[in-house]
Every structure is written in C-alpha cells, then in structure tokens.
C-alpha cells in the first residue's frame, strides 16, 4: 500500500465516523429527560401554548424527519437557530469556536513542550531526575483541573494580583490582554496533559533506548546527543503523537470545566448553559463542533504517525 | 589510511567478567589473539563461550558493569583504556562491527541510505550531498540493486539479506582497518548466507580490511576463513589455519566440535555429541576448562595449559594434543 492510498483511505474513513457522530449527538439529546418547550414557556403554559410552540420548532414531527432536516441543514453549513435567542447558531459558533480552539491549542502546545522535554530528559537523566519527574507526573495526573484552576486564581489573581481571575477579550481587539486572560486557563488545562505526555515520552524513549539498534549506533561512532535526539525521540515520536491525539479529546472535555471556571465564552460553556435550558439545537451544534474537532485531530494524528513511521502506512506491524 | 606491518588488531591477555549473585562470571579468560591485515579470522565456539563478549570488549561496547583487563591494541593504541569520547572517534571509522540481526540493528524509521550516510558524517566533515553520494557508492559496492531508488526506503521494505548489506555498507563507510562481524549470517536464509560471506570476502580482498568473523557455524568458517580461533568457556583452545583445523584438529574440543557437525561423517551415521555440559563460568574448573568433558584428561589438566605452537601447525592449549599428522577419525 502506498502512502497516497493510506491517506485517501483514512480520509474516506472519516466520513462514516462523522455521520455516526451526528446520529449520536441527535439521539442522545432526545433520550435524556426534560422538555425544551416546557423549559422555555415555564410551568404556567397551557397545553395549547406548548403544542403551538412545539409545532413552530418542528418538534412535533417524527424523529427521523427532524434528523434528516437537521442533517440537510448541516450539509449547507446551517446549524439551525438557537431556541432562546433565535439567532443562527452558525454565527454563534463562529464566535465561540475560536475561543475554545485558542484555549485547547495553547494548552496542548504548552503541555507538549513541557512533557516531551521533561520526558526525554527523564529517560536519559540521573536517578534524581527520574524521581523528580515521577513526583511531577503523580501530581499532574491526580490534581483535578477545577481544583488546580481555583488554586491558581487564588494565588495569581486574588493574592498576587498579577493576572485577571476571569474574563475574555478577543485576540483581534487586544492581543496582550487576550493572552493575559488566557494564562491561567491554559496553565490549568495543560497541567495534567503535560504529566501524561511526560510519562508517555519517558516510557517510549526508555524502550527505544534499550533496543539493539542503539548498540549498532554506538558501534558506528554516533554521539549520545544524536542517539537520543535523532534516533531516540524520532522513534518515540509516533507513540507520543498517538497519545497526544487521544489526550486532545480529554482536553476538550476539560475545556468545558475550565471555560466555565474562567468565564471564557467558548463552546464548552455554551454547551453547559444550553443543556440547562434544554436548548437542543445549541447543544447539538456545540457537541457536534467539539466532536468534529476531535475527529479532525484524530485524522491529523493518524496522518502524522504514518508520516513519522513508514511501517504504519505500509500496514506492517511495528 | 596508513597501515603498519603489525597486526591490524591484537588482543593481549584480555579478560572480561560480569558481576552476578554467584560472584564474578568470567566470560573471557586471558585471550591473546592477533588479527592480521587482509585476513579473515574465524572465531568459533558454542553459544555462551564468550565470542560475542570478546567482540563487544574489542569495540568497547560492554555495559559499565563489565570488568575488563588486558589490552585491545588497534595500531599503537590500547582501546581498553580510552575514554568513551575517544573511542567514539575510532568506532565506525577505524574499527567497525556488524551484528547478527540486521532487522534489529537498523533504525526502523530512518531511511536505509541515511543510516549509511550517518556513519560518514559522524567521522568525516563532508556535506550532506557528498555523504549521500558516498553512501550510494557504498550501497552499489555491497550489491544493492537500483541503489538510488532504495536509498530513501525504510528498512522494513528490504529483505534480511539486503538489510545486512546496508549494515555492512554503513560499517565499511569510512574504510576501517578492522571489521568485526558477530554472527552476520545467522539470522539469514541459507542461500543468502553464502552471498553475504562472498560479499565480506570480496570486500576484504578489494579493501584489505581485516575481518574477525564470529560464528558457531563451522560451515561458514570453511567457506571464507583463512585462520580459525576456537574458543571454549571463555578461553582460546586452538588457533590454526582453516586447513589445519579441518584436517588435523589438535585440541580434543575442536575434534569433538567437528564430529558434531552434520554431514561430515558417514551418511546415516549418528552425530557425535560432546558429553557433559559447558561449565558454570561463575565457578569454572581449575586448569583446562574442557577437562571435565575430555576423554583424554589426566591429572595434569588441572593446570591450565598455555596456548603454544608455531606458524605451520597452529597453536593449541592442551597437554595432550591430538596428533597433527593424524586424519580425523570420522573421515
């Protein structure tokens, strides 16, 4: 199998995944208890009022027809309208999504820089370095992000007053201000991720550095830096990238908590608010956006891994 | 490269031991051996007799826990006392090594060509382009067809024989005076084995590289080696020309080893096994280490026999050597 066939196959595989995802998003909301119309109109609404509203929103139609209508809209880039504000959701998403993207991408970048550097260092370092990084991993993995966020706010915002506790300005309006608002949420979200990436990098590097090919490199007269960076990291990279991809999903989940905690107007917070309001279309749009993001990241990860390890594209066991 | 008239590589009373729960394990015990320029010297012996330890000691590739004494002379330097930094400059440049399994030697995510070029750039101040040109030339020299196309391929797309050719190309990249080949054909198909041996022999003839060929396979020895050193339980028991070894083995162990090879005796004859077991190297027998399994052993054998002999007949470490002018009984 050539690399091109691998890429094409992987791209085609994304289509059914996305379709099944829409089905899940649609059905799950219909299956959880709670009626959006009742929530909208309040308890005093008469059955007639409810029926009228239901008809206006198209909720009296059979489920399959609602689904087909929604899916048809999606294909044209129409996410439907918000039940509360009646504004088009595609517009809302175009404001919300960049916030979530900025938060998650910055967090991931920070986690990768910290995790990979410390992980590689731990794999070749002294016993002291190993126990230090071991401690860091345990802390990073076990501290819940909401608690870490609160502690960071207490320290850097409430006590030291260096950073704002919450809020947001768009990057295009005030780049410096935007980054100031982002520091604490990004640090909160990156903490656990960095620990996972550190652990993965260290494990992968350790197993690579024990391979016979490292003795062969020594026999060729290759220096230690080149062995670790050129061969060790290069061989560990596919494993690390795979884990980064999976962890990106966890990160998106964490973004819901962190956005709520720091008052960031992202997709995560939109989902939380909309669930409370039984605002079906908004929840659907939000979950769909996040899930699509994850599917695209997984796609990118698979392509990067295939590029990093030629055996993957060839379908050979590693 | 300047080559002196002396041996390309000389081991002088080399000893290697590893710590273990039962005390130090003496894996190589007082081995003195000279590898001459241009020759292929076979080092044979059973698994665990210390052949590979000896090779790794010569390359300075043993783990730090290993205790090494004696000398490994390459030219006028003793490699056992060099710092890792200085050893690194020599390895891959003046002395190179080929390992048993090319699949585990090569980096699976690097292209094969880059792995050859890497050795050149580690020792020569040449541009990327120059290194690539040289690597291509080497790949052609070791018999890789359409080298330009294969340069950019990862190892897994190549057969075992082709991979071993790449490993050899990388080892020879800087025209070393000495090549240590540790069971270079063991992981390969029989038909490929002969090709790799021919390749080594041809390279030796063209480049004058001295080759220390480590193997447990006497068939391999018979095909390409000029001389043979036989090792048993960490000690050298016999060193002689290949002709001598096969026609007139002097050490009882060498004789027994030859009889244990299928196809050397009468058709249908049972294979002879060597009675007893390889000694525990944490507590080896005093004196000749083969004595407990040797049919000719006497009380004298509790004193270690020196490796003695001459150029014409070879050297043997035995108090009761088999007659040099006697044919092997199995023939």
């Amino acid at each position: 199998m050539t690399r091109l066939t691998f890429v094409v196959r992987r791209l085609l595989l994304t289509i059914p995944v996305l379709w099944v995802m829409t089905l899940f998003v649609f059905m799950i909301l219909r299956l959880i208890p709670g009626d959006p119309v009742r929530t909208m109109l309040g308890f005093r609404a008469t059955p007639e009022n409810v029926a009228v509203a239901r008809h206006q929103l198209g909720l009296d139609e059979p489920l399959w027809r609602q689904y087909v209508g929604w899916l048809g809209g999606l294909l044209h880039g129409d996410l439907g309208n918000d039940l509360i504000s009646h504004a088009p959701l595609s517009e809302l998403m175009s404001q919300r999504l960049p916030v979530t993207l900025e938060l998650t991408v910055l967090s991931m970048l920070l986690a990768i820089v910290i995790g990979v550097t410390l992980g590689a260092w731990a794999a070749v370092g002294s016993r002291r370095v190993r126990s230090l990084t071991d401690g860091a991993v345990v802390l990073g993995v076990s501290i819940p992000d909401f608690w870490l966020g609160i502690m960071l706010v207490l320290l850097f915002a409430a006590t030291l007053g260096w950073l704002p506790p919450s809020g947001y300005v768009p990057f295009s309006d005030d780049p410096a201000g935007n980054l100031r608002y982002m520091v604490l949420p990004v640090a909160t979200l990156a903490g656990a991720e960095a620990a996972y990436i550190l652990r993965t990098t260290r494990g992968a590097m350790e197993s690579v550095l024990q391979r016979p090919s490292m003795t062969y490199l020594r026999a060729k007269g290759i220096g230690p830096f080149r062995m670790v960076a050129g061969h060790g990291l290069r061989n560990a990279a596919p494993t690390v990238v795979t884990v980064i991809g999976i962890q990106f999903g966890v990160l998106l989940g964490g973004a819901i908590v962190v956005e709520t905690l720091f008052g960031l107007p992202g997709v995560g917070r939109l989902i939380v608010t909309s669930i409370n309001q039984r605002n079906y279309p908004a929840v659907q749009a939000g979950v769909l956006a996040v899930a699509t993001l994850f599917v695209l990241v997984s796609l990118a990860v698979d392509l990067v891994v295939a590029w990093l390890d030629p055996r993957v594209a060839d379908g050979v066991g590693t | 490269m300047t080559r002196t008239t002396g041996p390309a590589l000389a081991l002088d009373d080399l000893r290697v031991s590893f710590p273990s729960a039962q005390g130090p394990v003496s894996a190589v015990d007082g081995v003195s051996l000279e590898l001459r320029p241009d020759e292929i010297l076979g080092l044979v012996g059973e698994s665990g007799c210390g052949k590979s330890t000896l090779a790794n000691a010569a390359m300075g590739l043993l783990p730090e826990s290993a205790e090494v004494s004696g000398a490994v002379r390459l030219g006028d330097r003793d490699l056992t006392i060099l710092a890792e930094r200085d050893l690194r400059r020599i390895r891959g440049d003046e002395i190179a090594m080929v390992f048993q399994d090319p699949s585990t030697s090569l980096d699976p995510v690097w292209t094969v060509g880059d792995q050859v070029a890497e050795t050149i750039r580690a020792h020569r101040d040449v541009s990327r382009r120059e290194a690539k040109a040289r690597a291509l030339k080497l790949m052609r020299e070791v018999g890789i067809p359409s080298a330009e196309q294969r340069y950019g391929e990862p190892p897994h797309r190549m057969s075992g024989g082709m991979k071993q050719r790449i490993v050899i190309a990388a080892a020879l990249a800087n025209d070393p005076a000495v090549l240590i080949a540790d069971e270079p054909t063991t992981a390969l198909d029989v038909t490929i084995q002969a090709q790799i041996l021919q390749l080594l022999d041809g390279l030796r003839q063209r480049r004058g590289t001295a080759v220390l060929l480590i193997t447990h396979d006497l068939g391999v020895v018979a095909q390409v080696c000029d001389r043979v050193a036989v090792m048993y339980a960490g000690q050298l028991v016999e060193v002689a020309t290949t002709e001598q070894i096969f026609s007139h083995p002097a050490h009882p162990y060498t004789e027994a080893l030859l009889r244990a090879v299928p196809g050397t005796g009468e058709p249908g004859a049972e294979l002879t096994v060597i009675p007893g077991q390889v000694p525990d190297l944490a507590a080896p027998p005093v004196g000749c280490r083969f004595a407990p399994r040797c049919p000719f052993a006497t009380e004298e054998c509790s004193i270690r026999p020196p490796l003695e002999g001459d150029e014409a007949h070879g050297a043997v470490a035995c108090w009761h050597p088999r007659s040099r002018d006697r044919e092997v009984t199995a023939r």
Side-chain angles (χ1 to χ4, degrees), chain B residues 212-242:
Chain B
L212 180 64
L213 180 62
I214 295 170
T215 179
H216 65 272
D217 185 345
L218 288 166
V220 167
V221 168
Q223 280 183 65
V224 289
C225 293
D226 302 304
R227 290 195 305 145
V228 186
V230 182
M231 215 172 158
Y232 179 78
Q235 298 178 337
L236 273 191
V237 295
E238 185 166 5
V239 183
T241 61
T242 307

Side-chain angles (χ1 to χ4, degrees), chain B residues 116-117 120-121 126-136 151:
Chain B
V116 178
I120 302 170
R121 278 169 65 85
V126 294
S127 67
R128 214 169 269 273
R129 179 191 292 251
E130 171 66 19
K132 180 172 179 178
R134 285 198 207 179
L136 279 170
Y151 187 95

Side-chain angles (χ1 to χ4, degrees), chain B residues 27-56:
Chain B
V28 176
D29 186 32
V31 169
S32 297
L33 188 63
E34 288 189 349
L35 177 64
R36 301 168 187 164
D38 293 2
E39 80 169 341
I40 298 189
L41 173 62
L43 181 63
V44 297
E46 296 163 81
S47 318
C49 74
K51 305 176 303 248
S52 293
T53 307
L54 184 140
N56 286 312

Side-chain angles (χ1 to χ4, degrees), chain A residues 1 3 211-224 226 230-232 234-235 238 308-314 316, chain B residues 59-62 84 88 91-92 95-97 99 104-110 115-116 118-119 122-123 154 156-157 166-167 170:
Chain A
M1 187 161 66
R3 196 161 281 202
R211 285 187 196 163
S213 60
M214 290 292 146
T215 312
Y216 173 64
L217 288 172
R218 282 184 69 205
K220 293 204 298 183
I222 307 300
R226 212 181 154 74
H231 292 274
R234 183 69 183 67
N235 274 277
L308 285 172
D309 188 342
R311 288 170 298 182
V312 172
D314 284 352
V316 183
Chain B
M59 291 291 290
L61 290 174
L62 290 174
E84 176 70 22
R88 203 189 306 143
R91 288 198 292 246
I95 182 168
M97 189 159 170
F99 297 88
T104 59
S105 291
L106 295 171
D107 185 321
V109 302
W110 275 49
Q115 300 193 53
V116 178
E118 183 187 28
T119 321
H123 298 282
H156 74 262
R157 295 209 193 126
I166 292 289
V167 170

Side-chain angles (χ1 to χ4, degrees), chain A residues 23-252:
Chain A
L23 207 60
F24 263 99
V25 169
F26 182 85
M27 287 313 296
I28 278 181
L29 274 181
R30 266 69 185 175
L31 292 175
I32 57 171
D35 183 346
V37 178
R38 289 236 174 254
T39 318
M40 272 168 67
L41 301 180
F43 291 110
R44 298 212 196 118
T46 61
E48 288 75 29
N49 292 147
V50 171
V52 170
R54 203 179 282 277
H55 180 70
Q56 277 172 353
L57 296 170
L59 294 176
D60 55 348
E61 295 201 45
L63 274 184
W64 69 268
R65 191 168 265 174
Q66 290 183 40
Y67 174 71
V68 169
W70 179 61
L71 195 64
L74 282 184
L75 293 176
H76 296 96
D78 176 13
L79 294 170
N81 292 332
D82 190 285
L83 280 191
I84 315 288
S85 68
H86 304 290
L89 282 164
S90 46
E91 223 165 81
L92 192 64
M93 277 299 146
S94 66
Q95 295 161 8
R96 296 282 186 136
L97 204 54
V99 180
T100 303
L101 269 177
E102 186 186 357
L103 174 67
T104 49
V105 170
L106 284 180
S107 302
M108 197 41 115
L109 287 179
L110 182 67
I112 290 171
V113 169
I114 296 173
V116 171
T117 316
L118 291 184
W121 189 37
V124 295
S126 62
R127 192 170 297 204
R128 218 179 126 77
V129 174
R130 305 177 59 82
S131 43
L132 272 176
T133 48
D134 266 339
V137 167
V138 172
L139 274 181
V141 170
S142 47
I143 294 179
D145 45 14
F146 67 87
W147 189 81
L148 178 64
I150 294 168
M151 290 303 125
L152 289 176
V153 168
L154 276 177
L155 180 63
F156 290 101
T159 312
L160 297 169
W162 293 351
L163 293 163
S166 75
Y168 179 80
V169 284
F171 188 81
S172 49
D173 292 2
D174 176 6
N178 168 277
L179 290 180
R180 266 170 63 78
Y181 279 116
M182 277 297 175
V183 171
L184 290 182
V186 165
T188 304
L189 207 48
E193 287 321 301
Y196 279 112
I197 294 172
L198 193 168
R199 197 168 64 177
T200 308
T201 307
R202 195 179 85 181
M205 286 280 285
E206 276 169 353
S207 84
V208 170
L209 293 175
Q210 279 169 5
R211 285 187 196 163
S213 60
M214 290 292 146
T215 312
Y216 173 64
L217 288 172
R218 282 184 69 205
K220 293 204 298 183
I222 307 300
F225 179 77
R226 212 181 154 74
M227 275 173 64
V228 172
H231 292 274
L233 264 181
R234 183 69 183 67
N235 274 277
T239 313
V240 176
V241 170
T242 304
V243 167
I244 288 173
I246 296 165
Q247 284 301 116
F248 194 80
V250 178
L251 200 72
L252 285 168

